[in-house]
Amino acid sequence: MKVTQRNLVVGLRRALFGGCVVLGTGGTAWAQSTPQGEQAATNLDTIVVTAQSRQQELQDVPIALQVVDQQLLDDVAADNLGDIDAFVPGLVVDAAQPTQPSFRLRGVETSDFGIGTDPAVGVFVDGVYGGRGGGVLLPFVDIERIEVLKGPQGTLFGRNTAAGAISLVTRRPQNETEARLRLRLGNYGKQYADAMWNLPTGDNSALRFNALFNHSDGWFQDGATGKDLGGENVWATRAAWQVGLGENTTALVSWDHESLDQNGRVTTGIVPLPAYPQRPPVPVDPDDYLDPRDIPTYSDATNAEWRTFDGVTLIVDHALTWGHLTSTTSWRQYDALNQTEEDGTDRADLYIDSVNTESNETFYQEFKFAGSNARLDWVAGASFFKEDADQTSEVNTNTAAVDNIVRNLGVAYELGVPDGSLYNFTSMLAQMNGIPISLVGDRWNERFTNTLSTTAYAAFGDVIWRATDKLNLTFGLRYTRDEKDFTWLNTPRNAPELEAKLDLLESLGFFDALAQMGIPITRELLTFDMAFIDPPAMVNKGVLVRDKRSWSDFSPRFVIDYHFNDRAMVFGSLAKGYKAGGFNALQIGPAFENEDVWNAEVGVKQSFGRFSYNASLFHYRYDNRQSIRLIDPDPNNPVDIPRFVFDTGDLEATGIDVDMRWKVTDAFTLEAQAEWIDSKYKDYVTPEGVDLDGEPTGEPRFTASVGAAYRMSLGDSGDLRLSARHAYRGRTRCNAGSDLQGDCGVNALLDIGEPRERTDVRVGWTSPQGTWSWAVYGNNIFENQYVKGLNTYGRGPLGVVGATISEPRTYGMEVAVKF
């Protein structure tokens, strides 16, 4: 496989750079051409969406909705959803770890990577719920468009869409033979290739096959070894076969496979380190933090992230005299591992990492009935969802680092140990008595294991009543029942090398001798647990704890829309969103109640042939927001072991969404999107005891994106297209608890939460028949890099803090051939 990929890359690289010469020879025709922009503009292209489970023009859908088409994906060289969120105001996708992504829409997200809770933003592929985050952030393979629906979509989409839904629509097999091959090469070792082959297999059937390979070296290098850190390495395939079964029935079966195997997330240590064996002071003074953008990154861990994913979907559509019956059956399964160094140093005595291992299998079955007549347009159906998941969360360190934690906690000092250590002091005593043994540096592992079994049932209906030629009334209702069976298992720490050495010391009578000398070092003292994951769970070490709960909900939707004419409408809606309750996967016992959100919205949509705009004003109340937080258990003792705790609260927000498209001329188009939002907490006290009632939740007030494209005819030499897109995200609105989580400005160097900007450009050429195309692109061309957040897991016990930063400037060239 590696040889095939290498040959493909080398061959296409030659074609790519050879094609640049061909493009250069077309310069004369380019200079002599007359810009098409001088001609009058035609109307905007019609955009058809399925946001309401039925095909409609975008301008007729009474929902705040943004469509991301293939052109935008190409313009920004997007590989997955994490590459487009900057251009969808209100949407934030944290894609630094593909196996542990997070999604936020209109200021609402679920801050938990554990399997105990579900996401608040649902991701759907061809109408199938993507499930848990670990199997959602997949590479784009043959995507036709992406519909981002803002606000609760429980009636239309179902599971876990309290904040909104992201609907990915793939291309279906066609009845004509076609193929495409594309290569993209860029800085930081970027190598991207994808291929498509569509083949009719009969009068009423066709097969469509896609393959994708994506690799990069990453833009970090180890400051000591020069080794590449980070990067991408993934390949994916998709096969879809569509067949007509008689005149009234069509079946589509698709299979998706992904294999990801790459370095894990990179953390840069920002605490100045004294020379070994001296330790950084604790507690850490934030004023001493260094800027991670200006210092080397050091790592002594094998950061790793891998995932294997398979999904099979069968969609059968049957036409009846009164409408359509659609059956959707889906099976998805993935296994994933994510190992991340937490200390951001290359010092073994400060080492700590975390490992998340997950296995997940889901089955989904939906039957949907749809029909229409002169007055009614309706959809109804029922669904069944089954999920089985296993997750193991681990912390790895060694006895040298544990000794430093013990020193910082002061435990050994209280026992009279001169240097404050346990394993170093014990090793010194053993060696002084002629036993050549060292307990320092042995590996140390603590783990937390969870299992989840979920069963969900739903029945739904959505009816549009065309009361008059201009007035439509919509009523929708979904009933959902979720049943979850959850387990926790916090096992004793695992240190086999250490245990073997302690066995040897015990067999030699070493501990008995220490007791006779009055030295308070015992075998039991050296076999303690640090309880890195859940300190209160010490009483449950090795005990399987189970909880089983269920939740039910009715989610209604009311909409009224009035069309002044074919080009202008106003609408108002009231909708409820629902997300099932769950469990804190990293703290034994706590369970969440279900989330509820009520969203009221009024809007206007209007087009003038070559110009259109949409605007909506919304207000929502979000109750029982589910979240898991990492906190210092005692703010007055900042060297304690941090832990993940149960965190709930209410919030409300008011905002405005606006988007517009303008086809200035046939050649020149403009578009813009923006969101203003005022999001505040209601009745919320943080786990640290800070009252944030009425305080901002952190969501910026304003986000926006603008784009422009110009197409220039080169006559017989084809077309040249230039595009530029700029995105802006405003400053994080800090509150009284933000500094506890490192979400806002930390010191003079690290202004976390500062406004962010990104500018992407692309220049592409297409041959007259569209067979060949070439392009050069640049993302974040002004190289605006930002500190995304702090990793404070080791701040208390070890005196180390890591930081993650956003991507630098990337650029590359692309060649594609279609036939």
Side-chain angles (χ1 to χ4, degrees), residues 82 93-97 219 265 292-293 732 741-744 751-754 756 785-791 803-807:
V93 181
D94 184 350
Q97 301 176 94
W219 35 274
R265 185 196 67 193
R293 294 163 290 192
T732 297
Q741 289 293 304
D743 295 331
C744 282
D751 185 11
I752 297 178
E754 64 183 306
R756 300 184 183 185
Q785 280 190 284
Y786 306 97
V787 181
K788 298 171 66 176
L790 299 186
N791 181 357
T804 55
I805 58 178
S806 61
E807 295 80 359

Side-chain angles (χ1 to χ4, degrees), residues 679-700:
S679 177
K680 295 181 179 179
Y681 287 114
K682 295 285 292 184
D683 306 320
Y684 175 52
V685 178
T686 75
E688 298 91 347
V690 181
D691 187 350
L692 296 182
D693 189 16
E695 293 283 322
T697 64
E699 188 68 9

Side-chain angles (χ1 to χ4, degrees), residues 98-267:
T99 61
Q100 293 182 17
S102 66
F103 297 84
R104 181 160 79 249
L105 196 54
R106 283 185 173 175
V108 176
E109 69 175 329
T110 299
S111 301
D112 183 15
F113 63 86
I115 63 173
T117 56
D118 297 309
V121 180
V123 179
F124 298 79
V125 180
D126 293 332
V128 175
Y129 176 57
R132 200 159 302 284
V136 166
L137 194 67
L138 299 170
F140 288 145
V141 180
D142 214 19
I143 297 297
E144 178 179 307
R145 70 180 183 276
I146 302 168
E147 302 175 10
V148 181
L149 292 78
K150 301 179 181 181
Q153 306 295 328
T155 303
L156 296 170
F157 282 86
R159 285 187 57 78
N160 303 324
T161 56
I166 302 173
S167 176
L168 289 80
V169 180
T170 64
R171 290 186 176 84
R172 289 203 169 198
Q174 305 297 312
N175 59 3
E176 296 182 356
T177 300
E178 61 174 327
R180 182 191 70 245
L181 182 63
R182 175 171 58 176
L183 171 69
R184 185 182 298 150
L185 300 174
N187 59 336
Y188 301 111
K190 180 73 169 184
Q191 299 176 3
Y192 174 97
D194 68 59
M196 181 277 296
W197 182 35
N198 189 95
L199 178 68
T201 55
D203 293 339
N204 297 304
S205 65
L207 174 69
R208 191 175 182 94
F209 181 78
N210 293 82
L212 176 150
F213 168 72
N214 183 23
H215 171 86
S216 69
D217 297 333
W219 35 274
F220 287 96
Q221 285 77 40
D222 189 281
T225 66
K227 178 183 176 181
D228 289 325
L229 304 174
E232 305 164 291
N233 192 55
V234 60
W235 68 273
T237 57
R238 174 179 172 82
W241 184 54
Q242 182 167 284
V243 58
L245 304 175
E247 295 183 358
N248 299 321
T249 306
T250 300
L252 171 70
V253 59
S254 61
W255 167 70
D256 293 271
H257 174 79
E258 182 232 31
S259 177
L260 180 147
D261 189 358
Q262 60 193 34
N263 293 329
R265 185 196 67 193
V266 178
T267 298

Side-chain angles (χ1 to χ4, degrees), residues 66 76 83-89 673 705 725-727 758 760:
Q66 183 175 337
V76 302
D83 296 324
I84 68 166
D85 64 337
F87 304 102
V88 182
Q673 302 83 28
S705 70
R725 296 181 183 272
H726 181 78
R758 168 180 163 179
D760 293 3

Side-chain angles (χ1 to χ4, degrees), residues 556-598:
R557 171 179 179 249
F558 307 93
V559 183
I560 179 171
D561 60 90
Y562 183 83
H563 295 250
F564 296 100
N565 50 51
D566 292 339
R567 296 184 175 183
M569 67 172 286
V570 293
F571 67 89
S573 66
L574 177 66
K576 182 186 178 185
Y578 156 82
K579 192 182 81 170
F583 308 90
N584 182 351
L586 299 177
Q587 187 181 21
I588 293 177
F592 295 106
E593 291 304 317
N594 58 279
E595 293 183 349
D596 292 324
V597 57
W598 281 95

